[in-house]
Amino acid sequence: RRRAPRAAREPAAAALSPPVPAPILDVRALRKSFGPLEVLKGIDLSVRPQELVFLVGPSGSGKSTLLRCCNRLEEPDSGSIRLEGVELMDRACDLNAARRRIGMVFQGFNLYPHMTALGNVTLALRKVLGKSRREAEEIGRAALDRVGLADKAACHPGELSGGQQQRVAIARAVSLEPTLMLFDEPTSALDPELVGSVLAVMRSLREAGMTMVVVSHEMRFAREAADRVVFMEGGAIVEEGPPAAMFTEAQHPRTRAFLQEIG
Ligand code: ADP
Ligand code: MG
């Protein structure tokens, strides 16, 4: 497992520090309403370093809103969001700096159609991080290589399959070296035969130690790759646990019913 080598590398630090590492993301009592509709009813969610949290629940339960609140793309009404200990709800918080630390991948790939795959990946590196063209292209090519698309750098999105486009979107997010990646139904728009290539890339990110929150209905991926499954319904977290336990012995009847139905 991934945590073993790190402890071995840093025996002194491991002995001194508390047994549970500080969370990368720590959401507390997060609330959000759209008009009269209460969409997040006090969410508590903590994500540890290198953890893959799989977030699942019926349509409309608030999963996308929760992810979008994590970098305040959606403005929460109240609560606390700490990213590596920094409170994002503080008025003085440098929100742009915080957002640069969070990579997001959506169902739609949101690539610029008139730019090549490499151009799409390097754009943020140049505009957001201020990299030179040369440096951005070096990083961008490495990122495309990481998602298995080194040979597609010069292709436009229209020349790529949906799965390849989503991998470009992942490369774009990864190239900024985020501390946390949020995936919102990354494979839902894909033809079934293209889903595997995207999940494979997500698995390799996990192997590399990326901290991830994944909203998805790919239950096999959850069983194989998730550290923790969180079941959300009606704007609240109903139950959470390791995938093996959640799939076989979920305590809450609604969790059981949902996981059985789609798993
Ligand atoms: P999920 O991702 O779990 O399907 P969402 O977070 O997208 O759920 O939506 C939760 C609820 O909030 C839904 O009832 C949805 O219609 C509502 N909602 C989401 N975004 C908005 C918005 N911008 N304005 C009004 N209602 C919204
Ligand atoms: Mg959603």
Side-chain angles (χ1 to χ4, degrees), residues 72-240:
R72 287 177 61 190
L73 275 179
E74 203 70 76
E75 188 62 22
D77 297 331
S78 62
S80 161
I81 306 163
R82 282 178 181 272
L83 182 69
E84 294 180 298
V86 174
E87 177 58 66
L88 303 198
M89 294 294 280
D90 270 353
R91 200 172 297 182
C93 170
D94 181 349
L95 205 49
N96 286 327
R99 284 179 179 152
R100 283 199 289 272
R101 310 288 297 143
I102 304 179
M104 283 198 95
V105 176
F106 304 96
Q107 182 176 333
F109 326 121
N110 306 329
L111 300 176
Y112 290 104
H114 63 285
M115 299 179 80
T116 64
L118 185 62
N120 271 283
V121 174
T122 54
L123 186 66
L125 285 164
R126 299 185 65 195
K127 300 291 176 203
V128 179
L129 296 189
K131 304 277 187 197
S132 68
R133 172 185 290 269
R134 192 166 156 191
E135 199 185 350
E137 290 191 347
E138 200 173 303
I139 298 168
R141 284 185 193 283
L144 285 173
D145 187 37
R146 220 171 147 181
V147 300
L149 293 176
D151 57 335
K152 303 289 184 193
C155 291
H156 286 77
E159 302 169 284
L160 301 173
S161 74
Q164 290 170 333
Q165 289 182 56
Q166 187 61 299
R167 282 147 65 196
V168 172
I170 294 173
R172 175 176 58 184
V174 166
S175 73
L176 299 171
E177 296 186 21
T179 193
L180 169 70
M181 285 192 63
L182 308 176
F183 292 83
D184 195 354
E185 304 208 21
T187 60
S188 296
L190 301 177
D191 292 334
E193 72 272 21
L194 303 177
V195 168
S197 68
V198 172
L199 295 180
V201 165
M202 291 167 66
R203 262 192 207 98
S204 77
L205 285 180
R206 177 192 187 275
E207 297 303 320
M210 179 64 77
T211 307
M212 302 159 75
V213 179
V214 178
V215 172
S216 168
H217 295 288
E218 295 292 336
M219 291 301 145
R220 233 184 72 194
F221 178 78
R223 282 172 198 271
E224 292 165 5
D227 295 292
R228 185 151 50 105
V229 174
V230 174
F231 177 68
M232 212 173 143
E233 191 183 62
I237 291 175
V238 173
E239 187 169 359
E240 58 181 282

